[in-house]
Amino acid sequence: MDIIETIKDQIANNTILLYMKGSPNAPQCGFSAKAVQAVMGCGEKFAYVDILQNPEIRANLPKYANWPTFPQLWVAGELVGGSDIVAEMAANGELQALIKGATAKTAEPQAGA
């Protein structure tokens, strides 16, 4: 699987996905720390990819996403933005609503299931 397919697969298979430097418990930059704090404040489980451990993703995700910096928060397959956008959304309640709405949709039973 090429790296773009890997990225698409990660985004498709994780309702809430944060591409960041480091891990949620040990962020490796202030921007990643700010973003992970905002996401954790929403109280839902989320996936993350440490781009420092994945140089191919670090090199290719900005081109795929058309977003040059990290961290990048993806919710329900859509790029939300970086740390400033995520922190602003958390401060005004939009992030919590977005994340709760996305996780509620994935928790609903599928038709015919």
Side-chain angles (χ1 to χ4, degrees), residues 11-82:
I11 292 167
N13 290 314
N14 293 287
T15 304
I16 305 163
L17 177 61
L18 184 63
Y19 288 95
M20 63 179 292
K21 293 178 180 176
S23 69
N25 294 327
Q28 297 294 307
C29 82
F31 296 109
S32 289
K34 190 161 103 174
V36 81
Q37 206 169 25
V39 175
M40 288 172 81
C42 294
E44 297 291 337
K45 289 184 183 175
F46 64 96
Y48 76 94
V49 174
D50 179 356
I51 60 155
L52 299 176
Q53 301 294 319
N54 296 277
E56 278 193 271
I57 290 175
R58 185 179 187 179
N60 288 281
L61 182 61
K63 291 176 231 162
Y64 173 76
N66 199 22
W67 190 266
T69 59
F70 293 98
Q72 290 185 15
L73 176 63
W74 292 76
V75 176
E78 298 291 323
L79 175 63
V80 175

